[in-house]
Amino acid sequence: MGRHSSSKDSEGSSSLSSIGIATLNGAQISLTLLKEAMDGANIPFVKGVAGVAVEVIKIAKAIQTNREDCDNLIKRSTSLLVVILGSLSGKKEDAIPEHLKRGVERLTTSFQEVLAELRIIEKRVGKRSVGGLARSILYYIDNGEKLTDCSAKLEWAMGEFQVTSKVDSCLKDLERHEELRKDLREGQAKIEENIKAGLKEIRDVVKEQTETENSQSGSLPSTVMPAEPKIFGRQEYIEKAITLLLFGATARLVILGPGGMGKTSIALKIVYDARVKKRYGQYRCWVPCEQATSIPLFIELLAKSLNLPPSSSSDRLSEIIIFLENSQIVYLLLLDNFETPWDIEGQQSDVADILSKLASTPSVSLLITMRGGQYPSSNTIEWSTPRLPSLTQLDLDAAEEAFLKISPDAADDPELRKLLQRLDCMPLAITLMARLSEAGESINDLLSQWSTERTRLLDQPGGDRRTSIEVSIKLSLRSRAVKGYPDATRLLSVLAMLPAGAALDRLPDMCPSTPNWKTALRILRGAALVYDSADKSRVQILSPIQSYILLHHPLEQGQLEELRSA
């Protein structure tokens, strides 16, 4: 009888199919991923429930009998943690409502009760050889009933927490709806006035365009150098650039980085430096490439910035190059927002040829600002070395100084630094948030609004890349490389689900339906939409970009299942 029972247990263990083993292993890997994400969220009470769940799964895996019931319990535990992560993703502890916190506490209690039952079963299994076959059978049946009860307890806990989470979502929707109604009531009196002002502005624009000369240069934007900006931090970076501009006969520099990092401001600060002004004088030329949506426009902007007269020549570029080659002085050309002409569909090689001709002209120094993380024409242009690194976020002191320059009344607010950290010290996000503070919003209110509205809070209707964080991020997503490789956006959606980033060696498991994830990652790095950790072991995403992706490019169901089973 005893031998028969032992043989039955052994047979039950060995009968697990390869699919069952894969499912079990997948549950453990998924739990590790979820626990890593929860640790990254840095919420103590969430870490607590994850820790108890780990113990539940460890013991359930170790129990040698009732394997089917144990496997069901493991799957239920993992599914429950997925629900918790989905409900609390992107939230900080102080932004989580009390009823959700209580929901997590109830889940923790349920897990602890299940853990207590499993420890009893574990001790029984360790003693199953004592007492003969009858006791072993009784234990087997009783253990099965207890494991079924544990799974049912977690199933009930999951349903209860999902209801709590949905209630929280509904409450937030009601709050936003009420705020919207309030804004509509307050703004109703101004609507007619704004419409009239808008119509007048449209008439003025149409009139101005009608009166504009039809010459080539007449329709181009101004190339007058913008005013010198105020810069916070970045002193070491600026000094390196100035040194390179002053060293040697000419220089070739590129300032790279994500949108909203202040590339244009830094470039203008460089060309306004007294030493650079002394070296290049009045021959510092600003070329606003953001308007260069075609090669002819780019060439005409170059001509206008050099003060060349209008021409009907069929080879305007040759005229520009000949003019520069015959010049006895050195021009400093600031090609600002060069990503616009660089990303013209199907014409990158032609733009690269223009850039190479400018770079090879002995009377030209180049200073380029460009969204992204890759140098243009690296194989044909000898860029000045050491190359300038891609711009990253400000340090916290510089971020605070930038914020207080716009909103000095926030100087004594103890929550200011927390808000800046939530924005990952991104210069454009800091500027836009400081303007909201200057308009009367408290720092606490801004923290709360950022948790719910994310990048929509910093989106101004009709704004451009300088006044809207969403417009700035959209420009990066619409770059030729990212738009032409859909897997890049899909990978970005996966990374946005992980607040602490992702270990590079885990990426293949997280997105198995994207076998070319390395190419996708290279494109995202090139567009400066992600960055590597200091030790190069993890890939991370800035908070404003993460928030935008979660809002506008959420994971599809298939990708979410892949992430859960990773």
Side-chain angles (χ1 to χ4, degrees), residues 387-452:
R387 293 184 176 184
L388 297 173
S390 291
L391 288 173
T392 57
Q393 55 265 59
L394 295 172
D395 63 60
L396 194 54
D397 288 338
E400 184 176 40
E401 186 182 0
F403 191 100
L404 295 177
K405 181 67 177 177
I406 298 172
S407 182
D409 290 345
D412 297 326
D413 197 307
E415 299 295 302
L416 175 57
R417 289 205 160 204
K418 181 188 293 187
L419 176 62
L420 298 174
Q421 289 171 329
R422 295 277 179 87
L423 300 175
D424 259 348
C425 294
M426 186 180 191
L428 176 58
I430 291 169
T431 298
L432 299 178
M433 193 70 84
R435 289 175 184 166
L436 294 176
S437 172
E438 182 189 26
E441 297 278 1
S442 72
I443 299 300
N444 266 328
D445 285 345
L446 292 175
L447 275 166
S448 176
Q449 291 177 65
W450 177 256
S451 297
T452 56

Side-chain angles (χ1 to χ4, degrees), residues 461-477:
D464 58 20
R465 61 174 180 81
R466 295 162 296 185
T467 60
S468 170
I469 197 75
E470 293 212 340
V471 170
S472 179
I473 295 170
K474 282 178 189 175
L475 286 174
S476 295
L477 291 172

Side-chain angles (χ1 to χ4, degrees), residues 207-449:
K207 181 180 178 181
E208 182 180 350
Q209 290 178 341
T210 303
E211 294 173 350
T212 300
E213 296 180 359
N214 291 324
S215 64
Q216 289 176 312
S217 61
S219 60
L220 294 174
S222 171
T223 56
V224 175
M225 190 82 70
E228 180 179 2
K230 177 68 175 175
I231 294 292
F232 303 92
R234 314 291 200 194
Q235 283 78 15
E236 183 178 351
Y237 188 99
I238 292 171
E239 194 61 33
K240 286 180 181 178
I242 292 172
T243 301
L244 289 170
L245 279 176
L246 301 179
F247 181 77
T250 57
R252 314 278 184 265
L253 307 182
V254 182
I255 299 176
L256 298 169
M261 281 296 169
K263 297 180 291 295
T264 295
S265 295
I266 290 173
L268 289 171
K269 192 69 176 178
I270 291 167
V271 299
Y272 272 107
D273 182 83
R275 293 162 292 176
V276 176
K277 290 171 71 174
K278 182 178 180 180
R279 169 72 181 275
Y280 293 97
Q282 64 182 359
Y283 304 106
R284 295 165 296 136
C285 303
W286 181 58
V287 186
C289 297
E290 185 179 10
Q291 310 295 329
T293 54
S294 68
I295 288 180
L297 270 176
F298 178 44
I299 293 173
E300 282 302 324
L301 278 169
L302 283 171
K304 186 175 181 179
S305 69
L306 292 166
N307 289 320
L308 296 182
S311 171
S312 59
S313 171
S314 60
D315 193 357
R316 184 66 157 156
L317 179 61
S318 293
E319 287 185 348
I320 294 172
I321 299 301
I322 291 172
F323 168 79
L324 292 171
E325 287 177 340
N326 292 331
S327 175
Q328 300 301 309
I329 52 178
V330 177
Y331 283 82
L332 173 57
L333 298 183
L334 169 49
L335 305 183
D336 192 23
N337 293 299
F338 184 69
E339 70 274 0
T340 299
W342 186 250
D343 274 341
I344 295 174
E345 188 71 31
Q347 300 189 52
Q348 190 173 99
S349 60
D350 294 329
V351 177
D353 182 58
I354 296 172
L355 188 62
S356 296
K357 288 179 179 179
L358 291 173
S360 62
T361 303
S363 61
V364 172
S365 282
L366 289 176
L367 176 58
I368 296 173
T369 71
M370 188 170 179
R371 183 183 297 257
Q374 294 180 335
Y375 273 64
S377 303
S378 289
N379 56 334
T380 59
I381 297 177
E382 187 175 346
W383 299 103
S384 298
T385 55
R387 293 184 176 184
L388 297 173
S390 291
L391 288 173
T392 57
Q393 55 265 59
L394 295 172
D395 63 60
L396 194 54
D397 288 338
E400 184 176 40
E401 186 182 0
F403 191 100
L404 295 177
K405 181 67 177 177
I406 298 172
S407 182
D409 290 345
D412 297 326
D413 197 307
E415 299 295 302
L416 175 57
R417 289 205 160 204
K418 181 188 293 187
L419 176 62
L420 298 174
Q421 289 171 329
R422 295 277 179 87
L423 300 175
D424 259 348
C425 294
M426 186 180 191
L428 176 58
I430 291 169
T431 298
L432 299 178
M433 193 70 84
R435 289 175 184 166
L436 294 176
S437 172
E438 182 189 26
E441 297 278 1
S442 72
I443 299 300
N444 266 328
D445 285 345
L446 292 175
L447 275 166
S448 176
Q449 291 177 65

